[in-house]
């Protein structure tokens, strides 16, 4: 019964990114918001716009938006958010963005945070450079109620871990309803 639950993850991600981009523009009135520069692939060919390493620019700052659905991890028995393919950069390379916005898609609505750069980041050895990192934030083990896990653990972990909450967008919010 949650809006967008039946959408593909790609379609949901596209819609959530549009909502957050519009929200970002409202949070920064007067800022110039532009599409990302697609750039080039490692072989020198031009990337398609949907393959840009970030989602938009705000006054020249590269902004990436990653979303994750609050899901139950049955094998480990906890609720979690897992943001994937986050190109944070590393010792030998620059991050693909200047600012990372995380969107938690929950049964209640969208929680939008600015990531502080450290919380929940995991890597996978040499493949991290190609595929990016994961950012995982989980609730307590054996807490079966999603709302308790979200309110008592997941959201506090985000905020105590250096992520700043920028907005909560309930599903009946005009910003959400007006998104393309």
């Amino acid at each position: 019964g949650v809006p967008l639950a039946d959408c593909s993850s790609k379609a949901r991600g596209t819609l959530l990114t549009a909502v957050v981009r519009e929200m970002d523009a409202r949070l920064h009135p007067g800022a110039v918001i532009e599409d990302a520069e697609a750039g080039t692939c490692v072989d020198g060919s031009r990337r398609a716009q949907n393959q840009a390493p970030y989602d938009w620019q705000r006054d020249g700052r590269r902004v990436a938006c990653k979303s994750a659905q609050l899901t139950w991890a049955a094998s480990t028995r906890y609720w979690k958010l897992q943001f994937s393919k986050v190109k944070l950069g590393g010792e030998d390379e620059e991050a693909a963005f200047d600012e990372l916005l995380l969107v938690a898609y929950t049964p209640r609505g969208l929680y939008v945070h600015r990531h502080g750069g450290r919380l929940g980041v995991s890597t996978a050895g040499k493949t991290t450079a190609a595929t990016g990192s994961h950012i995982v934030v989980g609730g307590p083990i054996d807490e079966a109620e999603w709302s308790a896990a979200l309110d008592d653990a997941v959201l506090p972990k985000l905020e105590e871990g250096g992520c700043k909450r920028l907005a909560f967008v309930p599903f009946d919010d005009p910003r959400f309803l007006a998104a393309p």
Side-chain angles (χ1 to χ4, degrees):
V2 177
L4 304 179
D6 296 330
C7 290
S8 70
S9 59
K10 181 180 179 182
R12 183 172 43 247
T14 300
L15 177 62
L16 298 181
T17 298
V19 169
V20 174
R21 180 176 171 161
E22 190 276 333
M23 180 215 71
D24 190 46
R26 287 185 187 203
L27 287 174
H28 299 91
V32 176
I33 307 290
E34 301 174 297
D35 289 340
E37 293 179 11
T40 56
C41 297
V42 292
D43 66 1
S45 62
R46 183 121 175 99
R47 281 191 179 115
Q49 186 64 37
N50 66 333
Q51 295 175 323
Y54 58 96
D55 294 293
W56 66 86
Q57 294 183 70
R58 178 189 351 98
D59 289 338
R61 284 185 59 81
R62 300 167 302 165
V63 179
C65 180
K66 293 291 184 178
S67 61
Q69 181 175 0
L70 184 67
T71 57
W72 175 252
S75 63
T76 49
R77 302 179 331 274
Y78 73 107
W79 288 96
K80 70 176 181 174
L81 294 171
Q82 181 171 322
F83 303 90
S84 300
K85 300 179 182 176
V86 183
K87 301 279 186 138
L88 293 167
E91 293 179 15
D92 298 333
E93 69 177 312
E94 178 184 347
F97 49 80
D98 302 309
E99 189 172 320
L100 174 60
L101 302 182
L102 301 177
V103 184
Y105 169 69
T106 75
R108 193 180 291 144
L110 311 177
Y111 290 88
V112 183
H113 289 80
R114 180 182 302 116
H115 191 255
R118 295 182 183 256
L119 176 74
V121 175
S122 66
T123 59
K126 293 180 180 180
T127 61
T128 302
T131 61
S133 300
H134 294 290
I135 297 172
V136 181
V137 183
I141 292 173
D142 290 328
E143 174 56 72
E145 181 60 42
W146 69 264
S147 59
L150 181 68
D151 295 337
D152 299 341
V154 175
L155 292 175
K157 279 182 186 178
L158 281 166
E159 291 159 19
E160 292 164 7
C163 298
K164 180 181 180 190
R165 186 185 304 185
L166 302 177
F168 169 69
V169 184
F171 291 122
D172 62 354
D173 186 285
R175 290 176 289 186
F176 186 75
L177 298 172

